[in-house]
Amino acid sequence: MRVAVTGATGTIGRALVGALKERGDDVTVLSRDAERAKGALGGDVEAFAWPDPKGSPPPAGALRGRDAVVHLLGEQIAQRWTDDAKQEIRDSRVLATRNLVSALAELPEGERPGVLVSQSGAGWYGHRGDERLDESAPAGDDFLAQLSADWEAEARRAEELGVRVAVNRTGMVLSESGGALEKMLPFFKAGIGGPVAGGRQYVPWVHLDDVVGAILFELDTDAAGGPMNLTAPEPATNRALSKALGRVLRRPAFAPVPALAVRALYGEMAEIVTTGQRAVPARLTELGYRFRQPELEQALRDATGSTRAES
């Protein structure tokens, strides 16, 4: 398969490109700096420059004749949400996706990729307490929910072109590098980690192995279209995740973190950790995807490089 990947130098992108190459696929990447991307990902990838994703479409040559596109591009969400930061987060997703689909529309039908797998987020659902959420649940009304709804709408415009579109409502990715876990580890390793804001809110976690595995599955599965919750089969509460991480690191994990302290540190962005979504992967399960890392403690052990949990 010939696959074009945006956002290929991020945590998910690097792992995905490696997996695509390992199975023999022909990989093209789009990056603001094509030479840097080629250096980071290896000389056997073809790299095209897309210097202004928010303001212009990608080069047609990066998409023409490819079988599929995986769209991972987006400004980091885990930062303090100033007005400027929120606009950048939104534009990097909504406008860049609009420009990508516009570029697909300009290609002759016979040279247009047949599949688009695009990122979204479990934040689509907003603040829903302990409600079990499959893909049929409506969007919430907060910043992340509306961002996800608009982001998905831009990606799904490609369906009008005859492109199969899967949008992944991805949860908190457990990875040894990057993401929320990397920010949590210093506190837990120091023995001062613990549940946040009472710890009753659900965390829709997923291991990086399954993010990559699900994307490959979606590329290969004709029935994989529409919204897909890319989360582990059983979401965990923040308290359960904290305890599991403490066991894996062999450190105490009982220090409660008040919501007020998190909001003081992160501002509005604190809602990511003080609220949550009990999202479940109904569509992936229905289609037959088998999770590589379905158990939280084992997933944390793998993501942190720990070899055994505390007995």
Side-chain angles (χ1 to χ4, degrees):
M1 182 178 284
R2 302 188 68 196
V3 185
V5 182
T6 76
T9 57
T11 299
I12 296 173
R14 286 173 183 259
L16 176 64
V17 168
L20 288 168
K21 291 197 297 182
E22 185 176 344
R23 71 177 200 167
D25 290 331
D26 183 356
V27 183
T28 301
V29 300
L30 295 101
S31 175
R32 289 182 175 88
D33 187 333
E35 288 305 312
R36 185 179 69 85
K38 198 172 182 68
L41 299 169
D44 52 348
V45 301
E46 186 176 14
F48 284 81
W50 188 11
D52 185 17
K54 297 178 297 181
S56 61
L63 305 173
R64 184 181 294 113
R66 273 61 179 182
D67 300 300
V69 179
V70 180
H71 183 43
L72 304 173
L73 189 66
E75 178 71 16
Q76 182 180 6
I77 285 178
Q79 59 176 297
R80 193 173 184 88
W81 289 354
T82 63
D83 288 345
D84 286 347
K86 287 170 72 174
Q87 191 65 52
E88 178 66 21
I89 289 168
R90 178 180 173 79
D91 289 351
S92 69
R93 287 162 172 77
V94 176
L95 297 185
T97 305
R98 182 180 302 167
N99 286 329
L100 174 64
V101 174
S102 294
L104 295 178
E106 292 299 316
L107 293 173
E109 186 174 349
E111 299 181 356
R112 187 181 297 150
V115 183
L116 169 62
V117 176
S118 184
Q119 277 283 61
S120 181
W124 157 281
Y125 300 105
H127 310 160
R128 306 291 278 272
D130 62 358
E131 179 184 354
R132 199 169 176 87
L133 302 164
D134 65 19
E135 291 85 352
S136 66
D141 58 6
D142 63 348
F143 170 67
L144 281 183
Q146 290 304 300
L147 166 63
S148 298
D150 292 344
W151 190 8
E152 290 187 19
E154 293 295 340
R156 297 194 68 175
R157 286 196 306 117
E159 293 173 338
E160 301 169 9
L161 306 172
V163 176
R164 174 169 62 85
V165 179
V167 286
N168 285 327
R169 295 173 182 167
T170 307
M172 172 185 162
V173 179
L174 303 184
S175 165
E176 60 186 352
S177 63
L181 183 60
E182 184 180 54
K183 291 179 169 58
M184 294 167 62
L185 283 175
F187 299 99
F188 279 82
K189 287 180 176 178
I192 55 173
V196 176
R200 291 183 296 275
Q201 68 277 24
Y202 275 87
V203 180
W205 67 274
V206 62
H207 192 283
L208 179 61
D209 285 354
D210 280 309
V211 178
V212 172
I215 292 172
L216 297 179
F217 177 82
E218 291 161 354
L219 290 175
D220 297 339
T221 304
D222 290 341
M228 318 279 283
N229 284 348
L230 187 34
T231 58
E234 289 299 329
T237 64
N238 179 271
R239 180 179 296 277
L241 186 147
S242 297
K243 288 183 176 180
L245 184 55
R247 287 194 299 271
V248 164
L249 297 175
R250 303 175 66 85
R251 295 288 188 274
F254 304 109
V257 182
L260 187 63
V262 180
R263 292 192 187 101
L265 183 61
Y266 293 115
E268 186 183 354
M269 193 275 286
E271 69 182 47
I272 294 176
V273 291
T274 59
T275 63
Q277 301 84 29
R278 194 180 182 182
V280 294
R283 281 289 290 145
L284 280 170
T285 302
E286 176 186 286
L287 291 169
Y289 177 71
R290 296 184 64 181
F291 280 82
R292 303 172 180 182
Q293 297 279 0
E295 302 296 332
L296 175 60
E297 192 160 318
Q298 179 57 42
L300 284 168
R301 193 175 301 123
D302 184 87
T304 59
S306 300
T307 57
R308 60 178 180 154
E310 184 177 354
S311 60

